[in-house]
Amino acid sequence: MEINREMLLQSFREETEECLQQMEQLLLTLETRPEDRELVSSLFRAAHTIKGNASLLEFNALARFLHNVEDLLDLCRSNIVALSQEVISILLQAVDVLRQMAKRTVDGEESLLPEHEAMSARLAEMTAEFKSSQTTGTQESPASSLQDTSTSAVVAKGAVQNLRVDVGKLDRMLNLTVEFAIAQGRQRRILEEKLGLMASGREVLESHHGLEALFLELQELVMKIRMVPVGPTFHRFARSVRDAARKSGKLARMLVVGEDVEVDTTILEHIHDPLMHMIRNSVDHGLETPEVRRALGKDPSGKIVLQAFHDSGNIVVQISDDGAGLDHERILTHARAKGIVPEGARLSEAEIHNLIFQPGFRRRTECLNCPAAAWVWT
């Protein structure tokens, strides 16, 4: 049987991205639950799946890199290496490199870039250092026993619950149902005009009405196929929260509420960048440093809540944080200086908050523990 390599590459690309997202989420969870052995085992299995698939497609450079990742994870899984912040940071960087390498490999660029080589060497050196510091005998890596069970993952899987469908095909299906509904309505009017007064005509109309009910159910189902839960997309922002907080010398964690709320897949694409911008603003300008938070009696680690919920037929996405909040006096002073608010005008709290969205409102992006300083509108 001839194997369609393009289909294999597409399957490899999709499954690799899923595994990398899983690895990223597991590593972020392990920061707060480093003792959870099941999480470490799941992390190892995800890396091993990618390695098996890469070996099957003869992506040797990618497989070698993953072998180094596996070696380090195996030490963590065996309790030889503790999952410290340093180890988790290295593994997160390895996930970033794997994402780049996988894309380049599928595009035909299998050779490693210098930074990829450097990361591979760093992983190998860390593993060697940890091993040399142990006085116990070496153990056979469980990876060898898994080799035969995962390398066929690209070609075939067991009974699956989900099916990947091209969004373009879903759009076409939806357009066809709309066109069918129009044609069906036109046919109903013709039947009513021509056969409405005949006994046999009434039977035809009743049959037609039954078909319409079935079609409406089909149309509703097609529309629901495009709906996806917001959870997987929202959880991806957790990595951005972690990295942005560390860059600013802060601690932060993200909480997702309403992850089962479903929206059209295209909506998630459009709101990704605005959400990312607002989350970074919360980290950079909303949350205080750990020292300031301790002095205020707060948890040193700030909390950002990303929530989705239904409200009067709409889906609302809300971002909040437990930082210092908006500095009303600075907002008003800046707005008056810009001529947006006349001198002496009295504004409610909500009206003051809305000033940061006004055209012409601009603040320097210096960190003042004030989200208003992050908004730049022209």
Side-chain angles (χ1 to χ4, degrees):
M1 181 179 65
E2 182 180 354
I3 299 178
N4 188 326
R5 186 170 177 82
E6 285 302 318
M7 292 181 61
L8 283 178
L9 290 176
Q10 178 64 21
S11 179
F12 173 79
R13 181 187 296 108
E14 293 172 351
E15 185 170 11
T16 297
E17 181 56 32
E18 288 179 2
C19 288
L20 290 175
Q21 289 177 10
Q22 181 186 9
M23 290 177 66
E24 194 170 71
Q25 293 302 318
L26 288 169
L27 286 167
L28 293 174
T29 305
L30 281 165
E31 282 197 305
T32 55
R33 293 158 54 189
E35 73 290 343
D36 194 324
R37 296 298 94 191
E38 182 56 36
L39 291 179
V40 181
S41 296
S42 297
L43 185 62
F44 183 92
R45 288 194 294 270
H48 190 74
T49 296
I50 304 175
K51 177 187 170 184
N53 294 341
S55 299
L56 180 67
L57 293 171
E58 299 181 349
F59 294 153
N60 298 324
L62 184 58
R64 285 194 300 270
F65 186 95
L66 280 154
H67 181 73
N68 290 333
V69 175
E70 273 189 344
D71 284 347
L72 181 56
L73 288 176
D74 194 31
L75 295 179
C76 298
R77 191 173 56 163
S78 303
N79 288 326
I80 296 175
V81 175
L83 273 166
S84 62
Q85 293 291 328
E86 178 188 3
V87 172
I88 289 177
S89 295
I90 292 297
L91 288 171
L92 282 170
Q93 293 174 31
V95 169
D96 294 337
V97 170
L98 282 170
R99 187 171 279 117
Q100 296 172 3
M101 289 178 61
K103 183 180 184 304
R104 282 172 49 83
T105 301
V106 171
D107 292 339
E109 297 288 342
E110 190 177 352
S111 60
L112 299 185
L113 295 176
E115 55 267 32
H116 301 165
E117 293 277 12
M119 175 56 69
S120 182
R122 188 175 183 187
L123 290 168
E125 289 171 4
M126 287 185 66
T127 302
E129 289 174 3
F130 285 128
K131 285 183 176 180
S132 65
S133 65
Q134 301 301 312
T135 59
T136 58
T138 58
Q139 300 178 349
E140 181 182 359
S141 172
S144 59
S145 63
L146 297 174
Q147 186 64 35
D148 295 335
T149 62
S150 66
T151 53
S152 61
V154 173
V155 178
K157 295 183 181 179
V160 294
Q161 299 295 323
N162 299 312
L163 179 67
R164 298 187 184 98
V165 180
D166 182 71
V167 175
K169 293 180 180 178
L170 291 179
D171 289 338
R172 180 57 180 159
M173 288 173 62
L174 188 58
N175 290 336
L176 286 174
T177 59
V178 173
E179 294 175 10
F180 189 89
I182 295 172
Q184 196 175 46
R186 186 183 302 113
Q187 185 184 48
R188 183 181 64 251
R189 288 194 298 273
I190 294 174
L191 290 175
E192 289 173 347
E193 293 174 0
K194 302 295 184 181
L195 304 176
L197 300 178
M198 300 170 55
S200 60
R202 286 194 295 273
E203 295 180 2
V204 174
L205 286 174
E206 289 177 2
S207 176
H208 186 271
H209 291 158
L211 290 174
E212 280 188 324
L214 291 173
F215 171 75
L216 289 175
E217 184 178 352
L218 173 62
Q219 188 178 38
E220 182 179 356
L221 183 59
V222 171
M223 295 181 69
K224 285 183 177 179
I225 292 176
R226 291 179 52 90
M227 306 294 284
V228 295
V230 299
T233 297
F234 281 8
H235 281 296
R236 294 176 194 171
F237 291 115
R239 174 71 185 280
S240 299
V241 169
R242 177 192 186 274
D243 292 347
R246 287 179 172 274
K247 186 177 180 180
S248 302
K250 302 176 182 178
L251 298 175
R253 64 189 187 278
M254 192 182 77
L255 175 66
V256 174
V257 179
E259 60 185 51
D260 293 330
V261 173
E262 294 186 336
V263 299
D264 190 281
T265 182
T266 56
I267 292 178
L268 287 179
E269 296 175 2
H270 288 303
I271 67 174
H272 179 275
D273 289 346
L275 287 178
M276 179 65 75
H277 180 69
M278 296 171 72
I279 287 172
R280 286 175 175 167
N281 282 344
S282 289
V283 174
D284 292 340
H285 308 284
L287 300 180
E288 309 94 334
T289 61
E291 295 76 17
V292 172
R293 293 180 65 87
R294 288 192 187 94
L296 295 172
K298 293 183 176 181
D299 187 331
S301 177
K303 182 174 68 175
I304 296 176
V305 179
L306 184 53
Q307 181 178 10
F309 57 91
H310 295 276
D311 183 26
S312 303
N314 297 316
I315 296 175
V316 179
V317 176
Q318 178 177 291
I319 299 177
S320 59
D321 64 63
D322 63 349
L326 295 170
D327 189 323
H328 294 176
E329 287 302 320
R330 291 192 180 187
I331 294 175
L332 279 174
T333 300
H334 190 74
R336 290 191 180 106
K338 287 288 185 179
I340 299 175
V341 176
E343 292 291 339
R346 301 178 63 86
L347 301 180
S348 65
E349 182 177 290
E351 289 172 331
I352 294 174
H353 291 174
N354 286 331
L355 288 175
I356 64 176
F357 299 103
Q358 294 297 316
F361 188 91
R362 178 187 294 270
R363 288 284 295 183
R364 297 187 306 274
T365 56
E366 58 190 7
C367 181
L368 299 173
N369 287 331
C370 171
W375 291 102
V376 180
W377 299 92
T378 56

